[in-house]
Amino acid sequence: MSEYATVQKSALKIKGMGDISAGKKKKKKNKESKHRMEQVVTSQNDEEVKTKKVYLDKRTPAQIAFDKMQEKRQMERILNKASKTHKHRVEDFNRHLDNLTEHYDIPKVSWTK
């Protein structure tokens, strides 16, 4: 019986529940500090607008030409895909499958061999 003498017999304490662990209470801020913070934020926004720099393109002419060609090819692909209907795509796919060799077909298996 002495083994059970040191056991606590109270309910479990869960975080966030009860009076002890209710958490820290928030301090109330006065209106003046809010007004000051608003002034600081607005002054920072004004400074950001003034210090905003114009974006300079630092790419080489070859990079610019490459990007233009990429956009052009991408637009061609999009227009090519958009021009075909589902029926046309299925027909083209079937034609492609007909042209393939029958190497990948499942071979016939018989039990008599």
Side-chain angles (χ1 to χ4, degrees):
M1 290 303 253
S2 64
E3 297 172 0
Y4 299 107
T6 59
V7 175
Q8 293 182 355
K9 298 179 181 178
S10 63
L12 293 175
K13 296 178 183 175
I14 301 173
K15 289 184 179 179
M17 303 294 289
D19 297 327
I20 297 173
S21 62
K24 294 183 180 179
K25 292 184 179 180
K26 295 182 180 179
K27 295 180 181 178
K28 294 182 180 179
K29 295 183 180 180
N30 57 11
K31 293 181 181 180
E32 292 178 15
S33 64
K34 288 183 183 178
H35 184 66
R36 289 180 191 154
M37 288 299 292
E38 288 175 4
Q39 288 179 349
V40 170
V41 170
T42 56
S43 65
Q44 287 176 351
N45 289 340
D46 293 340
E47 290 174 6
E48 288 177 6
V49 171
K50 291 177 185 176
T51 60
K52 206 176 222 183
K53 294 182 180 178
V54 178
Y55 174 72
L56 296 177
D57 193 11
K58 296 181 180 180
R59 298 180 294 169
T60 63
Q63 290 173 332
I64 294 170
F66 176 77
D67 290 339
K68 285 181 184 177
M69 288 303 293
Q70 288 285 348
E71 287 181 25
K72 182 180 174 184
R73 288 185 186 129
Q74 185 177 10
M75 289 301 296
E76 287 175 0
R77 272 188 236 118
I78 290 171
L79 291 174
N80 188 18
K81 287 185 179 182
S83 66
K84 289 186 178 180
T85 62
H86 180 71
K87 185 176 181 180
H88 285 91
R89 283 194 204 106
V90 170
E91 289 173 355
D92 290 342
F93 184 66
N94 285 336
R95 263 189 251 115
H96 172 70
L97 290 178
D98 288 339
N99 292 336
L100 289 177
T101 60
E102 297 179 3
H103 174 73
Y104 296 106
D105 284 349
I106 299 170
K108 293 181 181 179
V109 177
S110 69
W111 294 98
T112 58
K113 288 186 179 178

